[in-house]
Amino acid sequence: MFPAMQDILEIEGLTKTYDGGFTALNGVDLTIRKGEIFALLGPNGAGKTTLIGAVCGLVQPSSGTIRAFGEDMGRHWRTLRRRIGLVPQELATDMFETVLHTVNYSRGLFGLAPDAARVEQILRTLSLWDKREESLSALSGGMKRRVLIAKALAHDPELLFLDEPTAGVDVELRRDMWTHIAALREQGTTIILTTHYIEEAEEMADRVGIIQKGRIRMVEETRAMMARLGRTEAVFTLAAPISAIPEGLSGHSLSLAEDGGALVYRGGDGTGQGKSEVAALTKALIAHKVDYTAIDIRESNLEEIFVNLLENQSDTGEGA
Amino acid sequence: MSLFNARSAWTIYKHELARALRTALQSIIAPLLSTMLYFVVFGAAIGGRMESGLEGVDYGAFIVPGLLMLTLLSESTANGAFGIYMPRFTGAIYELLSAPVGFAETLVGFVGAAATKSLVLAAIIVGTARFFVDYTIVHPVLVLCFVLLVSASFSLFGFILGIWAKSFEQVGMVPSLFVMPLTFLGGTFYSINLLPEPWRSVALFNPMVYLVNGLRWCFYGQADFPVIVSLLMALGFLALCIAIIARIFATGWRLRS
Ligand SMILES: Nc1ncnc2c1ncn2[C@@H]1O[C@H](COP(=O)(O)OP(=O)(O)OP(=O)(O)O)[C@@H](O)[C@H]1O
Ligand SMILES: [Mg+2]
């Protein structure tokens, strides 16, 4: 852990009510630390894209303040926006331009002098160099998305928003994308991403934030969240059904399956404590002469945690 | 705090001109061809039998400024409109909105490029017209200034149109349904003074009359109205468009949701 991490983005009381009267963001407070990868998770329509849009100038906030790099976005946008990059959720580009042209354009638009070497480097990293003279209309969806990423990287932003960067990207390429994102973080770029693939957040994010109905439900370090809410589950298929859990095993958070054919362990905290308890349990079962034919052990992942959280909270504090 | 990102504006300007070059056929050749057809039909063919109403200016020469204005107004409006409507339509506007560009950079970039295209077109038309009719420009510098003023104003007007429009139809509608006919009726082919009443008085409500006459005065030193009236009308329109665009940017109307 870095002892004194600087805050690169501070959002306070951000509310957005669209023209139709729908409140997509409802008093959002969120602080992003310099150098981290932050994953914003939430169901469809939760307000993720709206939140990103409000920071990047696409959405006019109804109220609240946004500070980036310690300065007010509303007042200093001309200088601050040069340091912020955005990869939008929708594949939106002028389809008649070539890859190289559109990336150079992005760099100039953000006020930087042309730099052929830097642009080449970006295109090579994203495996687009061979396609540089192709017009965008001739590229596949996954390639177009990478072009949007190249465009966003063209001005070397310090703060990068990736709105569903891996939507519609194949498995191999998604792994690739993770590597790119990790490399960017190595270079010091702060990254805020949204995704519906929870394992992506689990894999990459230092912290995750959960947004639902325009409110931030929870912000926590990914590891700490896994540890706090993570569970180990082990199912012992028994050689012969039993009618009750033996006396001596009562301290092991066990439950008996309905037909008495399996013992189920649930416990631990996502840090590995559960696994060692299962190991201890295997010996205890033998000692108590409970024979078993199979052990199925698994860790609950962020996805389950996420689903549980949303289910538990959806009936409290309804957002507008 | 910086007030203007020159490189951003320059990038937009170059990008827009490149787009025009890609569609050169549509943005230069088509309007040039239609203007030339007017010269052939009204200037060379019928013109010999018509009176211009201006002293020492024959009919073929008389219609040059009017035709130039006709092309300039519709082309500037269309260029200004499509420049901003296209990215709105494709969604590519997200980048513009997230970039360090505001009112000033956008105007210089988009409207500057639209006006540049109009100027190039004007130069080509004025040059080519010589093949069909004989004329001498009395105030060449004023012609340049007036063309510049009108191109800029109508590019701005087109820009507003491109932000207002919700469909391609609406973008195309205004130039062909309002700008073109009003200019056509605004004294392109005749002096307003030749109209019988009440049509002459009605024509005075058509703002294009003053623009056409202003350019005609710059060409030949004579027109239906004093040139100052035309100049004030054009400047007033320019100021109005700038004010509207400033307001659009301040409120984010049709740009930011
Ligand atoms: N321009 C708009 N006008 C009116 N309502 C809008 C507009 N844009 C978004 N909304 C509404 O705001 C809510 C939040 O939308 P947003 O796009 O921020 O969700 P999201 O979390 O990004 O969802 P997804 O995961 O599907 O991308 C939705 O209910 C949506 O219908
Ligand atoms: Mg979204």
Side-chain angles (χ1 to χ4, degrees), chain A residues 44-45 47-50 89-90 163-164 194 196:
Chain A
N44 286 134
K48 303 180 293 295
T49 301
T50 303
Q89 179 174 3
E90 307 289 336
D163 201 351
E164 300 194 20
T194 73
H196 288 290

Side-chain angles (χ1 to χ4, degrees), chain A residues 37-310:
Chain A
I37 295 182
F38 185 91
L40 191 59
L41 310 178
N44 286 134
K48 303 180 293 295
T49 301
T50 303
L51 179 59
I52 291 177
V55 178
C56 294
L58 275 56
V59 169
Q60 198 114 39
S62 305
S63 64
T65 58
I66 301 171
R67 291 165 65 78
F69 309 98
E71 287 184 278
D72 185 66
M73 271 302 268
R75 287 180 54 207
H76 301 286
W77 59 269
R78 251 201 188 82
T79 42
L80 296 177
R81 278 190 200 163
R82 283 170 176 248
R83 304 164 73 183
I84 301 176
L86 166 66
V87 179
Q89 179 174 3
E90 307 289 336
L91 290 172
T93 48
D94 183 340
M95 289 298 160
F96 302 108
E97 288 168 5
T98 66
V99 172
L100 192 59
H101 177 96
T102 193
V103 175
N104 280 323
Y105 169 73
S106 299
R107 187 174 167 88
L109 191 63
F110 279 77
L112 292 190
D115 184 343
R118 175 67 187 132
V119 168
E120 176 174 347
Q121 190 186 20
I122 291 169
L123 290 179
R124 283 194 188 282
T125 321
L126 291 165
S127 317
L128 286 168
W129 183 244
D130 295 337
K131 301 274 176 193
R132 65 188 178 281
E133 298 300 343
E134 299 266 1
S135 89
L136 290 166
S137 53
L139 300 183
S140 76
M143 288 173 193
K144 282 187 194 125
R145 190 162 293 283
R146 275 180 286 155
V147 173
L148 292 189
I149 296 177
K151 279 166 77 70
L153 292 180
H155 66 283
D156 296 316
E158 296 161 59
L159 175 59
L160 179 64
F161 288 90
L162 298 163
D163 201 351
E164 300 194 20
T166 55
V169 169
D170 68 40
V171 181
E172 193 182 348
L173 217 60
R174 182 172 302 159
R175 294 267 158 203
D176 256 21
M177 205 82 93
W178 294 359
T179 320
H180 293 320
I181 293 172
L184 281 172
R185 198 263 290 274
E186 284 303 301
Q187 294 156 24
T189 311
T190 307
I191 293 158
I192 299 173
L193 60 87
T194 73
T195 179
H196 288 290
Y197 303 105
I198 311 291
E199 83 266 19
E200 205 159 87
E202 200 175 324
E203 171 93 17
M204 282 194 295
D206 300 298
R207 290 195 306 153
V208 294
I210 292 176
I211 184 171
Q212 188 187 19
K213 293 185 181 162
R215 293 176 196 267
I216 298 281
R217 297 296 186 191
M218 172 188 285
V219 174
E220 201 167 347
E221 310 233 335
T222 315
R223 293 250 177 71
M225 178 138 101
M226 302 283 296
R228 194 162 61 80
L229 300 170
R231 291 289 179 270
T232 301
E233 186 180 279
V235 180
F236 294 84
T237 310
L238 302 179
I242 55 174
S243 54
I245 299 170
E247 278 292 290
L249 295 173
S250 55
H252 284 279
S253 27
L254 277 174
S255 57
L256 188 61
E258 266 172 39
D259 59 359
L263 275 171
V264 181
Y265 162 88
R266 280 197 194 85
D269 60 0
T271 60
Q273 188 207 330
K275 284 181 188 164
S276 57
E277 277 186 23
V278 172
L281 196 55
T282 54
K283 295 172 202 156
L285 287 176
I286 305 278
H288 285 84
K289 306 230 171 355
V290 181
D291 194 12
Y292 46 90
T293 56
I295 309 172
D296 186 10
I297 178 165
R298 58 191 198 90
E299 302 286 310
S300 66
N301 53 22
L302 194 55
E303 179 140 7
E304 288 168 59
I305 297 173
F306 176 70
V307 169
N308 281 335
L309 207 74
L310 292 183

Side-chain angles (χ1 to χ4, degrees), chain B:
Chain B
M1 207 170 100
S2 75
L3 292 172
F4 186 72
N5 283 326
R7 196 172 313 263
S8 307
W10 174 236
T11 303
I12 297 174
Y13 181 82
K14 274 193 309 185
H15 181 255
E16 284 301 298
L17 282 190
R19 201 170 56 84
L21 276 182
R22 227 169 35 211
T23 55
L25 187 72
Q26 184 197 327
S27 49
I28 301 281
I29 299 179
L32 182 64
L33 184 70
S34 59
T35 313
M36 288 312 123
L37 287 176
Y38 281 120
F39 281 132
V40 171
V41 175
F42 290 100
I46 316 180
R49 297 181 208 151
M50 308 266 284
E51 283 294 322
S52 78
L54 289 193
E55 228 170 287
V57 180
D58 64 26
Y59 187 74
F62 176 86
I63 63 171
V64 173
L67 282 177
L68 179 58
M69 190 58 82
L70 188 68
T71 313
L72 275 185
L73 296 189
S74 42
E75 285 303 305
S76 300
T77 308
N79 282 334
F82 278 107
I84 190 72
Y85 183 74
M86 281 300 283
R88 277 185 65 217
F89 176 75
T90 61
I93 195 156
Y94 85 86
E95 193 173 29
L96 220 49
L97 293 176
S98 69
V101 302
F103 170 65
E105 292 87 353
T106 314
L107 277 201
V108 171
F110 279 102
V111 179
T116 304
K117 282 180 255 176
S118 301
L119 274 187
V120 171
L121 188 61
I124 297 176
I125 289 177
V126 169
T128 333
R130 287 210 173 264
F131 292 111
F132 303 95
V133 289
D134 198 25
Y135 64 91
T136 320
I137 297 177
V138 180
H139 306 294
V141 178
L142 286 182
V143 167
L144 182 69
C145 294
F146 203 74
V147 164
L148 201 62
L149 176 62
V150 165
S151 302
S153 319
F154 278 77
S155 299
L156 288 167
F157 171 67
F159 192 82
I160 297 171
L161 178 65
I163 288 180
W164 163 80
K166 285 186 167 167
S167 65
F168 270 100
E169 261 176 344
Q170 289 185 335
V171 183
M173 203 173 71
V174 173
S176 57
L177 239 52
F178 294 98
V179 180
M180 242 289 277
L182 282 180
T183 317
F184 212 88
L185 296 174
T188 299
F189 296 104
Y190 46 80
S191 161
I192 293 300
N193 294 329
L194 298 180
L195 289 178
E197 287 295 350
W199 298 116
R200 185 183 177 277
S201 301
V202 170
L204 294 181
F205 285 98
N206 178 357
M208 305 307 180
V209 164
Y210 304 93
L211 299 181
V212 171
N213 270 277
L215 188 59
R216 187 167 291 140
W217 188 92
C218 297
F219 263 72
Y220 305 125
Q222 350 168 18
D224 297 349
F225 310 100
V227 68
I228 187 75
V229 177
S230 305
L231 203 61
L232 287 178
M233 292 284 272
L235 283 173
F237 187 61
L238 179 75
L240 179 68
C241 290
I242 291 181
I244 292 175
I245 296 177
R247 184 92 191 111
I248 288 175
F249 271 82
T251 58
W253 182 71
R254 299 254 166 115
L255 287 174
R256 299 176 205 285
S257 47

